[in-house]
Amino acid sequence: MSYRELATRPVLAWSVVTVAGRLPVAMAPLALVFLVRERPGGYTLGAVLAAAYVIGEIVAAPVLGLRLDAEHARPQLVAGLAVGATGFAGLGLAPGAHPLVLAALALLAGAGPAAVPGGLRALLTSLVPERAVTQAMSMESVLTFGIWAAAPALTTGLALGVDPAVPLLLMGVLMGLSVTGLWTLPPGWQQAAKEDGASTRRALLRAWPVYVLGAAGLTLLALAELILPALLEQRGIGIGWAGLLLAGFSIGSAVGAFAYGLRADWPGTLTVQSLVLVLAVASGVALVAVLPSATGIAVALVAAGLLQAPASLARNLALRELLPPSALAAGYSVMYAAVGAGYAASGTLAGGLLKVVAPSTAILWGVGLTGLLVLVGATGERRLVREREGGDRPLPRPQGEASEDADAAVRNVRR
């Protein structure tokens, strides 16, 4: 199936809703920093608000994802987006409020729509035939990386060129529009068979190696985004290049996602693909730490971006294979929380290391953390494979069942 066949009205409507709902998410951390940077201790307060926002996402995503009703998910998605829109609008309307009030609003803005990405992904895969799922998820990845490439420039331009509160107000309006757009989509998605809560939780827990690999992938993205400005200063390169270099990373990721969707069967299992690609991205980020020129850093970042998106796609497709259909939305939400935790952990590590080591060394330490997470995920995946192979062996037939078959054969002979 080609990408052209995804150009249906439901998929196009889904794309519009996704852009309106995810652009605020991509703009949020930087917008929160700009909102309060002119107050005393503004940059520290901005970092705290961004952390509160991310914590809201990480905590709420698995909790709300487990409660999504597959066949009637729309009211829950609408409620989540409405809460997010309220949080962003409150921040934009009251930028001078007490820091605790701002932190509460940021937490609310992050927590409310935390399960929406998982729900929308499950809805997207229900809008296309099974053979087109890889292309649909590749298209989603292209869209997502395009959003992340545009968000910093849009946020910076509005905050510095108009007013620091304007990005937050725009984010509230966009989330409100995504609420309206949801009514153009189906109310939910079909699930083959309902699992009880305990079975769903067990299935989600068994998939932990995939979540660890997801966290590993986002530690690399955090390294690229958060330490790059300091690394450029260390190399004597103008810090203004940081935006262009990160845009190259995002554009490379969008191209990589599109290329991955051109084939339905890449060599190796999905988990092996993810492992190899994450290690390749880690190599690219390590090169960023040691190359002396802006040109070399740009090439390394674009190459890492080209492989980052396929690694993420392979993880999500592996999760889809591993979980029962009724647990997919919850699984995508847990993955969302895991990658957010990986980003936050890497950012915290980077911030601490930059106080005691050079930026290039901090990046290499972060790559080491990624390698450790990959090792843990690969070990867990091997255990999963052994369990599945053991579960696939035919079980001995109960004695009573064999006797019934023998009695039936005798009756047929007599007839």
Side-chain angles (χ1 to χ4, degrees):
M1 187 166 183
S2 69
Y3 280 108
R4 270 197 310 254
E5 294 179 77
L6 295 178
T8 63
R9 180 175 294 178
V11 173
L12 292 175
W14 179 93
S15 301
V16 172
V17 171
T18 297
V19 170
R22 289 194 188 176
L23 185 55
V25 175
M27 295 171 65
L30 189 57
L32 289 169
V33 172
F34 276 120
L35 183 70
V36 296
R37 75 185 182 95
E38 294 183 359
R39 294 172 60 158
Y43 283 109
T44 301
L45 176 58
V48 170
L49 295 181
Y53 176 82
V54 172
I55 289 170
E57 287 187 303
I58 293 171
V59 173
V63 174
L64 297 179
L66 278 168
R67 286 164 173 72
L68 277 179
D69 179 7
E71 296 180 356
H72 306 93
R74 184 193 287 155
Q76 293 165 284
L77 299 180
V78 165
L81 289 168
V83 169
T86 302
F88 285 131
L91 287 162
L93 292 172
H98 191 277
L100 289 178
V101 174
L102 295 179
L105 288 171
L107 187 73
L108 191 70
V116 172
L120 285 177
R121 181 174 296 151
L123 183 58
L124 172 64
T125 55
S126 74
L127 296 175
V128 299
E130 182 66 25
R131 61 195 173 89
V133 166
T134 299
Q135 282 83 7
M137 294 181 74
S138 295
M139 181 271 294
E140 179 201 18
S141 189
V142 171
L143 205 61
T144 299
F145 280 107
I147 290 169
W148 281 91
L154 179 61
T155 304
T156 303
L158 290 174
L160 299 181
V162 186
D163 188 270
V166 170
L168 276 303
L169 295 173
L170 174 62
M171 289 149 62
V173 170
L174 286 172
M175 273 208 170
L177 291 174
S178 67
V179 169
T180 304
L182 274 176
W183 297 100
T184 66
L185 299 174
W189 55 92
Q190 295 293 323
Q191 57 185 25
K194 286 191 175 181
E195 304 274 344
D196 60 50
S199 298
T200 298
R201 283 190 289 273
R202 280 196 300 271
L204 292 173
L205 287 172
R206 286 182 68 249
W208 68 264
V210 185
Y211 307 137
V212 172
L213 288 177
L218 262 287
T219 60
L220 296 169
L221 182 59
L223 292 173
E225 288 187 345
L226 301 177
I227 304 184
L228 183 62
L231 178 70
L232 294 179
E233 286 189 342
Q234 179 189 358
R235 295 280 185 265
I237 301 169
I239 197 171
W241 284 98
L244 287 174
L245 291 172
L246 291 175
F249 180 90
S250 295
I251 292 168
S253 297
V255 173
F258 181 82
Y260 188 84
L262 293 176
R263 285 186 56 174
D265 54 341
W266 291 91
T269 65
L270 290 168
T271 305
V272 169
Q273 290 175 23
S274 181
L275 284 169
V276 171
L277 289 168
V278 169
L279 290 174
V281 176
S283 301
V285 175
L287 282 175
V288 169
V290 299
L291 291 173
S293 68
T295 302
I297 291 173
V299 171
L301 277 176
V302 171
L306 281 168
L307 301 174
Q308 170 75 14
S312 175
L313 282 165
R315 285 193 302 273
N316 284 312
L317 290 168
L319 187 65
R320 192 170 185 273
E321 280 189 351
L322 193 60
L323 295 178
S326 60
L328 282 177
Y332 293 144
S333 296
V334 174
M335 176 69 85
Y336 186 76
V339 299
Y343 189 98
S346 184
T348 303
L349 175 66
L353 287 173
L354 283 175
K355 297 178 180 179
V356 294
V357 300
S360 56
T361 307
I363 289 178
L364 294 176
W365 272 95
V367 171
L369 172 63
T370 300
L372 178 62
L373 290 174
V374 168
L375 179 62
V376 172
T379 303
E381 177 60 25
R382 286 190 62 185
R383 287 188 59 188
L384 272 180
V385 169
R386 286 200 298 268
E387 287 175 9
R388 277 182 290 185
E389 288 175 350
D392 290 341
R393 292 171 187 161
L395 298 174
R397 179 175 290 187
Q399 187 63 37
E401 186 179 337
S403 300
E404 289 173 8
D405 288 350
D407 291 343
V410 171
R411 284 195 297 271
N412 288 334
V413 169
R414 286 176 179 171
R415 286 177 190 151

